[in-house]
Amino acid sequence: MENGTILTKYCNRPLWFVLLSLCVLAFFSHRSSFLSYTKPFDTKMVKETDPERSARRSFDSCHGRYIYVHDLPSKFNVDIIKNCSALLRWSKNCDFLSNSGLGLEIEDSGETLQKRSWYATYQFMLEVIFHNRMKRYKCLTNDSTLASAIFVPFYPGLDVQRYLKDDPALRRDSNSIEVMKWLTAKGEWKKLQGRDHFFVAGRTTWDFRRSGDSQSGWGSILYELSETKNQTILGIESNRWSKNEFAIPYPTYFHPRHDSEIFQWQSKIKKIKRPYLYSFVGGLRPDSENSLRSMIINQCLISGRSCKFFDCQISNCKKPVNVMNMLQRSNFCLQPSGDTSTRRSTFDSMLAGCIPVFFDPKTAYIQYKWHLPKNYSRYSVYIPEKKLREGTVRIEMVLKNISNDQVSSMREEVIGLIPRIIYADPGSSLDTLEDAFDVAVRGVIQRVDRIKKKEEHGRKPSQM
């Protein structure tokens, strides 16, 4: 009866009143149902499923890419470059340290370069440039447990550079030994014994490989230390037999602030006329008449107008405009070994759209595996040094036999590789392109990830 009375009462109401009442009842009913699903729950009682975990991670763009940076004492980096006169005695006012390690900006290059983002960059400044890029890395974390890899901002190349030639007190080893002691005392190290750590070396591998029981000789003992062998090393040159060294490009003169500057440069060098079939930018090795350099210079000179030898003992090769102007006018650029297997000129020539010609696989093919294509014939020419010494090949003939279509295809490949072989200005970031820094960091993270997975499965990670 009571329900019937209520129903009769509502039926006698105006239609608008009945409809409004029903809407109010529906709202509160829905709200109650919604709250029953969204109220907090005990995470200890409910285990997150894989799909739920994946969904949560998808909202974190840095997941799997976080880097933790050790806060090293300043003696291992900043203090090294404070006394910059000891690093480069020929440099006035330590200009090479300007602009976060990029050097002085080139303001007047005529038609050779662009108006912005070109610098007189010293070839051994990778440690400073990389560190300053890392400071702006978008996936830094203060929580080392979240990190996919841990960066050690030590400047080993600049450190040893002060004492390479004259160091009776073995000062060249002290910082290397001390930084390893500092690292091994940290909790971050003890988790994986440093196998998730990495650092950058701005000089060639042989500058850090002096035998520990020898006080005389060249370089430091950094790479001979057991703690070093656990870490990933990024350097301008690696030892092919080492499992933890990975070569990354030498710094070039171009450090763009925006993607558009790269696109403009690529467009510019595609249109440049190249009057020389090939060229060599470098100097003689007067102490060795039988050196490969002497042979290729002789071949260049007898090629007449087909080749241009830009002699660094006569012309100023420390002026970037001179070097880039020469490289831009050549179809092929010769890259013989120098003091070591690798050359900064390899990357300068590619930046100029000039196809590199190699005589030793150690100059590039077994070095820059993260940055250059595995199929080296796509972007370069290989002439075995042995054949050159035997006199069975002439460089000019080899290059003339490459069709125009092949040359165009190779140049397109070289120009397409430019973003991957340059380091962007540390004060900016690229939007759609990966530079050499990005490629290197990704390579480290992938390597550390493989090591961690092997650790989880109880396998030995030392050969990764």
Side-chain angles (χ1 to χ4, degrees):
M1 284 296 293
E2 186 178 352
N3 290 340
T5 303
I6 294 173
L7 183 60
T8 302
K9 188 184 297 184
Y10 268 87
C11 289
N12 292 329
R13 297 283 186 178
L15 179 61
W16 65 266
F17 182 86
V18 175
L19 292 175
L20 179 61
S21 300
L22 290 173
C23 289
V24 171
L25 289 171
F27 169 78
F28 281 105
S29 176
H30 175 73
R31 182 173 183 271
S32 176
S33 176
F34 175 76
L35 290 175
S36 69
Y37 283 104
T38 58
K39 65 180 181 180
F41 58 88
D42 188 350
T43 56
K44 294 181 181 180
M45 298 298 294
V46 182
K47 186 176 181 180
E48 186 180 41
T49 65
D50 288 338
E52 289 171 337
R53 188 181 300 110
S54 298
R56 177 174 54 81
R57 289 176 176 177
S58 66
F59 289 105
D60 183 0
S61 62
C62 285
H63 178 75
R65 297 192 296 141
Y66 282 113
I67 300 290
Y68 176 85
V69 180
H70 273 299
D71 185 16
L72 291 184
S74 61
K75 66 178 296 183
F76 299 126
N77 43 48
V78 176
D79 291 351
I80 293 173
I81 59 178
K82 277 183 180 178
N83 185 18
C84 56
S85 59
L87 299 175
L88 282 182
R89 293 182 176 87
W90 50 262
S91 177
K92 296 180 181 179
N93 303 319
C94 298
D95 293 340
F96 65 99
L97 286 171
S98 304
N99 298 303
S100 302
L102 305 183
L104 291 178
E105 189 165 10
I106 301 169
E107 297 180 352
D108 183 15
S109 67
E111 297 297 320
T112 302
L113 309 176
Q114 292 168 308
K115 292 182 180 179
R116 296 182 60 186
S117 299
W118 289 83
Y119 301 83
T121 304
Y122 178 47
Q123 66 174 339
F124 295 140
M125 286 300 292
L126 180 60
E127 295 155 359
V128 178
I129 295 171
F130 198 98
H131 186 194
N132 284 318
R133 284 280 280 118
M134 183 60 76
K135 291 176 183 177
R136 299 295 187 97
Y137 180 63
K138 64 182 179 181
C139 293
L140 293 179
T141 178
N142 292 324
D143 184 352
S144 62
T145 63
L146 294 177
S148 296
I150 297 176
F151 179 54
V152 182
F154 177 36
Y155 297 168
L158 295 175
D159 179 44
V160 74
Q161 185 165 315
R162 300 173 294 180
Y163 314 117
L164 279 170
K165 295 182 179 179
D166 183 18
D167 181 29
L170 292 183
R171 290 169 293 180
R172 52 188 158 172
D173 294 332
S174 61
N175 273 350
S176 295
I177 294 171
E178 285 186 43
V179 76
M180 292 305 158
K181 288 182 178 179
W182 187 93
L183 286 172
T184 54
K186 295 294 178 180
E188 291 82 9
W189 178 276
K190 295 173 182 177
K191 183 178 179 181
L192 284 171
Q193 297 301 303
R195 286 189 286 272
D196 54 354
H197 285 49
F198 71 104
F199 66 89
V200 175
R203 294 188 64 91
T204 64
T205 183
W206 307 109
D207 294 332
F208 310 102
R209 291 191 166 279
R210 195 187 86 254
S211 175
D213 57 2
S214 173
Q215 293 189 2
S216 62
W218 181 269
S220 76
I221 62 170
L222 176 62
Y223 287 9
E224 299 301 318
L225 300 175
S226 59
E227 298 89 349
T228 302
K229 294 177 181 179
N230 277 9
Q231 301 177 68
T232 300
I233 304 171
L234 305 180
I236 54 176
E237 178 180 298
S238 64
N239 176 8
R240 65 180 299 185
W241 306 115
S242 175
K243 300 297 183 181
N244 67 323
E245 289 183 59
F246 297 86
I248 64 177
Y250 282 76
T252 65
Y253 303 118
F254 187 36
H255 305 281
R257 295 177 175 88
H258 309 288
D259 295 37
S260 59
E261 293 176 352
I262 298 178
F263 297 142
Q264 290 167 8
W265 177 250
Q266 289 174 315
S267 177
K268 172 184 172 66
I269 58 176
K270 283 180 182 179
K271 302 171 184 176
I272 290 177
K273 293 183 178 180
R274 301 176 185 268
Y276 300 111
L277 175 65
Y278 69 108
S279 66
F280 173 58
V281 177
L284 284 165
R285 290 289 186 266
D287 55 334
S288 176
E289 293 184 359
N290 295 321
S291 71
L292 182 64
R293 285 197 176 199
S294 298
M295 292 180 181
I296 68 170
I297 289 171
N298 288 337
Q299 288 208 18
C300 178
L301 294 175
I302 65 175
S303 291
R305 294 182 178 180
S306 293
C307 183
K308 178 67 175 179
F309 170 40
F310 194 81
D311 190 350
C312 289
Q313 294 178 341
I314 299 174
S315 304
N316 186 2
C317 287
K318 292 181 181 178
K319 190 174 181 180
V321 176
N322 292 346
V323 174
M324 293 302 295
N325 183 52
M326 182 68 254
L327 297 173
Q328 287 176 34
R329 292 187 291 157
S330 308
N331 281 292
F332 298 94
C333 293
L334 307 184
Q335 304 297 340
S337 299
D339 296 326
T340 62
S341 298
T342 62
R343 296 187 79 209
R344 177 229 177 102
S345 180
T346 295
F347 301 100
D348 290 336
S349 67
M350 294 178 69
L351 180 59
C354 187
I355 301 164
V357 180
F358 299 117
F359 306 91
D360 185 339
K362 295 192 295 294
T363 304
Y365 302 150
I366 64 175
Q367 294 284 347
Y368 308 100
K369 296 180 179 180
W370 291 348
H371 293 78
L372 299 178
K374 291 181 180 179
N375 183 358
Y376 60 80
S377 63
R378 287 169 50 188
Y379 73 95
S380 68
V381 176
Y382 175 56
I383 302 175
E385 179 179 341
K386 181 180 179 182
K387 290 187 177 181
L388 208 61
R389 291 188 178 281
E390 291 172 348
T392 57
V393 298
R394 280 191 58 195
I395 298 172
E396 181 181 3
M397 293 299 101
V398 172
L399 300 180
K400 278 186 174 180
N401 285 332
I402 300 175
S403 69
N404 290 335
D405 287 344
Q406 284 180 289
V407 172
S408 296
S409 177
M410 293 165 74
R411 180 172 297 115
E412 283 289 329
E413 186 73 25
V414 167
I415 293 174
L417 288 170
I418 286 176
R420 299 171 63 88
I421 64 169
I422 60 176
Y423 297 91
D425 187 308
S428 61
S429 60
L430 304 180
D431 296 321
T432 64
L433 300 172
E434 280 191 330
D435 72 341
F437 170 87
D438 295 318
V439 175
V441 170
R442 178 160 48 83
V444 170
I445 289 174
Q446 289 175 350
R447 180 174 189 264
V448 172
D449 185 56
R450 291 195 297 270
I451 290 173
K452 289 179 177 178
K453 286 179 179 176
K454 283 203 169 187
E455 284 276 328
E456 291 173 1
H457 292 85
R459 290 181 289 174
K460 186 178 181 181
S462 59
Q463 300 302 309
M464 290 297 294

